[in-house]
Amino acid sequence: MSANPRGSAAIKAALKGYEPTDEQWSAISHPLEPIYLIAGAGSGKTAVMAARIAWALETQPYSPSQVLGLTFTNKAAGELQERVRLALAGMHDESGEDVSIYTYNAFAAGIVRDHGLLVGVEREAGLLSAAQQWQLVLTCLDHLPPFDSLEVRSSYVVGQTLNLAGSIGDHMVAVSDIEAAADRLLSMRDLEDRIAETARKRKELCRAVAAYVEAKAKAGRIDFSDQITKAVEVLEGNQEVRESYHKRFPFVLLDEYQDTNVAQRRMLQSLVGPHGACTAVGDARQAIFAWRGATMFNLINFPDDFPRADGRRYDPISLSENFRSGSRILDVANAIVEPIAAERRPGAPLRAVPANGEGKVEIGLFSDERAEADWIA
């Protein structure tokens, strides 16, 4: 098909009436191969993602339902869907189809629902609520031998059991791997008492996690973390299913990629397939979810995880023009991240749109959070 002009009605609709800047256009119109965008704060990443979808639909033999967009929250999915529908209206699309936009977990849940039997999960397996997870762990603790280092049935033990179970799933490791790591620590000479005690507690928590995993299987239930790990098992373990998704979604967009974890990355690698058309959007400078297993190195190492057909390593495309803040605010933001090693903060420094002016920056020192909140309000 012919190349799509920069000012097409669909692209302008995705950008809510604006034509893309030079920087945005380089991202929107990049050939359909693995690419990653470093989208700085306020750079209009949702609009660019929607415009890239419009560009792909106008220049490639795709129907809307063959394009998949994944993000983290229902709100973000809704915002992207709204932008895409504006673009489809600008194209006068009459297919009656929508672009497939889901949260990462909702999409994974669909894989498990449709193919879970391949990995021992019944189609009707229910998702455990937070309260049900706590109750299941408490039941498991009732049937375990006494602990030496942990206080049985304490809220700390229940919470730490669920945290460790979630982390094991996020990183796609086995309970035995965690136990082995603790054993290696305990075998070291002159180990500090504090570290040794932590290792002993970790081993005991592993017993609780193993019992919890077994109890879930017996009850035919899964938890939030299982949605991703079981989807990984399905896609990595069955070539026919994997290839069916490659054909179903030849173009995939990944939002907030700096907040994905190891399990999500493996799911996405299987989903996209070798050299598949995949666009990831993220910003390591905005990575804030390491505490729940996210690793910004998924974004930084994107060219290694999603290689191109020619085998050449490639650089990110920066979206650095900020449409939200004044120049002084962005100067402060850039100064804060400047001491971080360059390889850990890819992307160009943020630049203000001149119309935003300078903005105002103030510093306050407060005695407590209430005083801080009063000042901000």
Side-chain angles (χ1 to χ4, degrees):
M1 296 187 179
S2 60
N4 184 44
R6 178 170 176 160
S8 82
I11 288 176
K12 290 181 71 174
L15 298 172
K16 294 195 173 178
Y18 295 93
E19 284 196 16
T21 65
D22 291 344
E23 190 177 57
Q24 290 175 331
W25 181 242
S26 69
I28 292 167
S29 61
H30 192 281
L32 291 183
E33 59 186 352
I35 68 166
Y36 64 122
L37 314 179
I38 304 300
S43 62
K45 70 178 179 68
T46 301
V48 169
M49 289 175 69
R52 181 154 172 77
I53 290 171
W55 177 85
L57 291 175
E58 289 193 326
T59 61
Q60 306 295 321
Y62 295 157
S63 63
S65 63
Q66 289 181 292
V67 180
L68 173 65
L70 296 176
T71 187
F72 273 99
T73 65
N74 291 326
K75 179 181 178 183
E79 290 173 351
L80 180 56
Q81 189 78 71
E82 178 193 356
R83 291 271 188 169
V84 170
R85 285 173 178 162
L86 290 173
L88 292 176
M91 291 173 57
H92 304 292
D93 174 71
E94 298 179 355
S95 68
E97 297 180 358
D98 267 335
V99 170
S100 302
I101 298 175
Y102 301 91
T103 66
Y104 289 103
N105 270 78
F107 185 75
I111 294 175
V112 176
R113 182 179 60 251
D114 293 341
H115 307 286
L117 283 174
L118 295 171
V119 293
V121 179
E122 297 287 341
R123 182 178 178 84
E124 62 272 15
L127 184 66
L128 291 165
S129 68
Q132 290 170 331
Q133 290 178 62
W134 272 72
Q135 187 58 53
L136 193 56
V137 172
L138 284 169
T139 301
C140 292
L141 293 176
D142 283 340
H143 296 91
L144 287 176
F147 291 145
D148 295 321
S149 300
L150 293 171
E151 181 184 345
V152 180
R153 291 186 66 88
S154 70
S155 59
Y156 169 82
V157 171
V158 177
Q160 289 301 304
T161 298
L162 290 172
N163 287 341
L164 182 56
S167 294
I168 286 172
D170 291 342
H171 291 86
M172 295 293 292
V173 296
V175 177
S176 58
D177 296 328
I178 308 302
E179 290 179 308
D183 284 333
R184 286 194 296 272
L185 275 175
L186 291 170
S187 68
M188 296 173 60
R189 297 177 59 184
D190 301 324
L191 187 65
E192 289 185 28
D193 291 342
R194 173 178 55 87
I195 297 175
E197 182 64 13
T198 299
R200 285 190 287 270
K201 287 182 178 180
R202 179 59 57 88
K203 285 196 66 175
E204 292 184 348
L205 281 174
C206 283
R207 286 164 47 195
V209 170
Y212 170 64
V213 171
E214 183 179 357
K216 283 190 297 180
K218 286 182 177 179
R221 307 293 292 275
I222 60 175
D223 60 24
F224 199 63
S225 179
D226 291 329
Q227 290 180 320
I228 301 291
T229 57
K230 294 301 180 182
V232 172
E233 291 178 27
V234 168
L235 291 173
E236 291 186 348
N238 191 287
Q239 182 177 350
E240 183 178 350
V241 172
R242 190 165 61 246
E243 290 180 350
S244 73
Y245 280 99
H246 298 171
K247 293 176 182 176
R248 182 178 173 186
F249 298 116
F251 183 34
V252 180
L253 294 97
L254 310 172
D255 190 21
E256 301 290 5
Y257 195 67
Q258 80 281 350
D259 289 331
T260 55
N261 58 39
V262 171
Q264 288 162 336
R265 187 255 299 160
R266 284 175 56 176
M267 178 183 76
L268 298 170
Q269 285 177 292
S270 292
L271 174 67
V272 170
H275 324 307
C278 176
T279 298
V281 183
D283 184 5
R285 295 166 294 189
Q286 300 182 65
I288 58 174
F289 290 111
W291 56 272
R292 69 176 186 195
T295 170
M296 66 180 177
F297 289 100
N298 280 350
L299 180 66
I300 293 170
N301 296 330
F302 190 82
D304 297 321
D305 297 330
F306 295 85
R308 290 179 180 169
D310 60 12
R312 293 185 180 181
R313 188 174 176 86
Y314 50 96
D315 294 323
I317 297 174
S318 282
L319 297 176
S320 57
E321 192 168 22
N322 180 289
F323 298 93
R324 183 187 301 158
S325 304
S327 58
R328 286 186 177 181
I329 295 170
L330 299 183
D331 286 344
V332 172
N334 289 330
I336 288 172
V337 300
E338 180 64 29
I340 301 172
E343 63 270 15
R344 294 171 65 92
R345 52 172 178 85
L350 296 172
R351 298 176 291 114
V353 174
N356 288 351
E358 292 186 340
K360 185 178 181 181
V361 177
E362 294 185 31
I363 297 176
L365 181 63
F366 308 99
S367 59
D368 54 47
E369 66 274 12
R370 184 58 181 261
E372 178 185 9
D374 288 342
W375 181 77
I376 291 172

